[in-house]
Amino acid sequence: MLRTSRFLSILAVTFVCNATGVLWAQAPAPEDGIPVTDALVKTKCGACHEADDRGNLKIISWTRTTPEGWQDALKRMILSENLMVTPPEARAIVKYLSDRHGLAPAEMQPVTHDVERRMHEETGIPSEAISRSCARCHTFAKPLSWRRSPEEWKRYLAAHAKRYNSPPVEEAVTYMTKAAPLHSPEWNQWSAQTPTAGINGRWLATAYLAGYGKFFGEVQLLPIMDGGAPVPDEFNTRIVLRSMRDGSLIARTGRIGVYAGYAWRGRSKGVVQPAEPGDPSNEAREVMWFSPNQTTAEGRWFWGQYQEFGFDVHLQRYSNTATLLAVDHPSLRAGSKTTRLRFVGENLPAKVAAADITLGAGITVTKVISSNAKEVIAEVDVAANAPSGRRTATVGAASLANALVVYDRVDYLKITPESSLAAFGGEGKARGYQQYEVIGYHRGADGRRHTADDLELGPVEASWSIEIFYEPEGHRTDHVGEISENGFFRPNEKSANNNFDLWVIAKAKNETGADGEPLVGKGYLVLTVPSYVFNGRRYVRDLERWVDDGPAGPAR
């Protein structure tokens, strides 16, 4: 991977505030840019972004962002400036800019929900004015995923206001200059690091898919070869996942690229044809993040018209040491007897005795039913007075923090996602679905519900229904769609040319509240018409796939 060895120091920029906003006290010295050294980038981008005598390209050298940000920028240049690039050139440009003009892992953490396409409530926007300027049409994470010099932020926000006919907000310039600077200690430190050992090889995997539960298995990263030599930072993937629920296997294959030394971007799909929109074999776009020491990775593999389906994935590099990956039960109720637990891992002891398994105070392992190097099955009793809380599971020398939770009762339910979007189909547009789960929660050590110390207990068996806002109780809802017994919402195939606000309701089958009535959870769903987006030329539509596919990808 190409990286800069260091950046030059940051020049001070001062502002003077008055009643009308923020003005420059004096003409600031230009901030040092990041020179562009790649011949292809200089050739393709230099026609519009002229170079100075230090090798800086206008705008580009004073900008940093994610691989997705550089993809979007390249799309805009193709559409608005008639830039012509081939698929290999598109990949190379995004790769170089993401490596040399990217974000450090610490800079990415606050905005990962955006590129992972997660439902996320953004609560940290500093003011209503900044919200109107920077988060009215998209997430606030999108502008925060860019880093610019003060002058470049000023120029960009002025151009943005003009393009979208909105008044410029000087407060936004001040905030973004401070919150998202071109030069930062995090990027300086990250870009100066020496690349570590390669990531190819075997990785142990755990994953979770709403409606399907936990999975475990492995991912193999195999270098892509070109002329007998491995292509830097590009890999084929072979994935095998086994369901903790029913033991079924999912086999997937794909390819990935790694950007800036830590950002995994790729695609994979199952080796069998998917049967349903939420089927685990569907083709997925993969967004993951390696830890700085490259021993773990985590992220999301998502698909669907609105990226509504997705695995939450955690990987850890394979080693010869004993590793505990998962326990099949997320929680145990105090007072329960002879509960069968399944522990899965790698290099576990071939023979395990009850004394080799510990789960904390109040839990007794009464019997080991079977054991081998990959799986241990045991029965446990939980004392009636066992303290509630998260527990570490230990099998021999292997341990797993927060493996399960002990609780005395389910205090309330929460539907996930709590707020969501679905869409009718129409005119060749696929429907947008939603898979719901209802999760039980314990009140936590403080004894109060809906506080930070509440304990998540896992999915609860429930019956599902939907209601339309402001319609009489008992009114039929079959004209909008239906929800299945396992919480899968399927809208009608044809658009009703209307929007609907819906309650998604789950009523617990086996859990009751203090009043003796079944616990109920409610989620908010907006059901609307399909989203129609003009994608431009075909090579613009396929740009993300080009970048993901690598040199072994399909010809176009």
Side-chain angles (χ1 to χ4, degrees), residues 192-249:
Q193 292 181 5
T194 301
T196 58
I199 63 170
N200 60 294
R202 184 182 177 195
W203 293 75
L204 304 178
T206 53
Y208 189 87
L209 178 62
Y212 292 83
K214 292 181 181 179
F215 294 82
F216 66 95
E218 66 177 55
V219 175
Q220 291 190 37
L221 301 183
L222 308 172
I224 293 175
M225 307 301 290
D226 184 17
V231 178
D233 298 327
E234 295 192 11
F235 303 88
N236 288 318
T237 59
R238 294 177 184 170
I239 304 161
V240 177
L241 298 174
R242 184 181 293 275
S243 169
M244 290 282 277
R245 178 180 297 177
D246 58 18
S248 60
L249 282 175

Side-chain angles (χ1 to χ4, degrees), residues 488-509:
F488 180 75
F489 177 73
R490 184 188 298 271
N492 280 346
E493 184 173 1
K494 293 184 179 180
S495 171
N497 294 318
N498 205 346
N499 297 324
F500 293 90
D501 295 292
L502 304 175
W503 285 123
V504 178
I505 303 169
K507 180 182 291 187
K509 294 183 177 181

Side-chain angles (χ1 to χ4, degrees), residues 43-378:
T43 298
K44 291 294 182 178
C45 305
C48 297
H49 300 267
E50 61 269 23
D52 64 17
D53 56 3
R54 297 184 178 183
N56 297 312
L57 293 188
K58 184 179 180 181
I59 299 177
I60 294 174
S61 287
W62 286 270
T63 306
R64 294 190 289 115
T65 189
T66 62
E68 289 77 12
W70 287 121
Q71 284 180 352
D72 289 344
L74 193 56
K75 290 177 185 178
R76 289 195 300 272
M77 295 303 99
I78 291 170
L79 285 172
S80 65
E81 304 300 329
N82 201 32
L83 174 66
M84 301 298 294
V85 292
T86 65
E89 290 172 341
R91 285 192 298 272
I93 291 170
V94 172
K95 168 66 174 166
Y96 173 83
L97 292 174
S98 299
D99 287 351
R100 293 290 294 267
H101 300 249
L103 302 185
E107 294 173 317
M108 270 304 313
Q109 288 176 355
V111 297
T112 54
H113 62 272
D114 191 50
V115 293
E116 291 179 357
R117 301 297 189 266
R118 295 184 185 274
M119 300 293 291
H120 180 82
E121 182 180 2
E122 295 184 317
T123 58
I125 303 177
S127 72
E128 180 62 29
I130 292 177
S131 179
R132 289 195 305 269
S133 179
C134 301
R136 182 176 58 179
C137 304
H138 48 66
T139 64
F140 192 48
K142 188 171 291 294
L144 285 177
S145 67
W146 289 79
R147 297 293 187 270
R148 293 181 169 93
S149 66
E151 275 297 307
E152 185 54 31
W153 272 120
K154 189 176 182 181
R155 183 207 64 80
Y156 173 80
L157 289 172
H160 185 275
K162 181 178 180 180
R163 180 177 183 181
Y164 295 104
N165 194 29
S166 60
V169 179
E170 294 291 354
E171 183 182 354
V173 175
T174 304
Y175 178 81
M176 296 305 296
T177 296
K178 182 178 180 180
L182 177 66
H183 295 289
S184 72
E186 295 83 4
W187 177 249
N188 290 347
Q189 180 181 4
W190 175 252
S191 61
Q193 292 181 5
T194 301
T196 58
I199 63 170
N200 60 294
R202 184 182 177 195
W203 293 75
L204 304 178
T206 53
Y208 189 87
L209 178 62
Y212 292 83
K214 292 181 181 179
F215 294 82
F216 66 95
E218 66 177 55
V219 175
Q220 291 190 37
L221 301 183
L222 308 172
I224 293 175
M225 307 301 290
D226 184 17
V231 178
D233 298 327
E234 295 192 11
F235 303 88
N236 288 318
T237 59
R238 294 177 184 170
I239 304 161
V240 177
L241 298 174
R242 184 181 293 275
S243 169
M244 290 282 277
R245 178 180 297 177
D246 58 18
S248 60
L249 282 175
I250 300 171
R252 302 175 63 88
T253 59
R255 53 175 54 88
I256 69 166
V258 179
Y259 299 86
Y262 71 93
W264 164 319
R265 300 293 188 270
R267 291 182 185 271
S268 66
K269 62 181 179 179
V271 297
V272 298
Q273 189 71 18
E276 293 288 340
D279 193 306
S281 292
N282 274 282
E283 182 178 5
R285 180 164 169 78
E286 301 172 354
V287 175
M288 298 189 71
W289 316 94
F290 287 102
S291 61
N293 60 8
Q294 294 187 335
T295 60
T296 62
E298 60 183 21
R300 185 168 185 255
W301 302 350
F302 53 86
W303 67 93
Q305 176 73 357
Y306 299 95
Q307 298 90 48
E308 62 266 38
F309 304 110
F311 286 98
D312 290 323
V313 182
H314 177 82
L315 304 181
Q316 57 189 95
R317 192 187 288 274
Y318 174 81
S319 71
N320 292 323
T321 60
T323 304
L324 186 58
L325 291 174
V327 181
D328 61 347
H329 283 266
S331 58
L332 294 172
R333 187 189 290 267
S336 59
K337 302 291 184 182
T338 63
T339 301
R340 182 170 291 195
L341 290 184
R342 183 182 178 203
F343 305 85
V344 298
E346 285 283 331
N347 302 312
L348 300 175
K351 290 187 176 181
V352 175
D356 298 325
I357 303 173
T358 59
L359 295 166
I363 303 179
T364 302
V365 179
T366 59
K367 184 194 310 184
V368 174
I369 298 171
S370 64
S371 65
N372 58 51
K374 291 181 178 291
E375 178 182 273
V376 176
I377 299 176

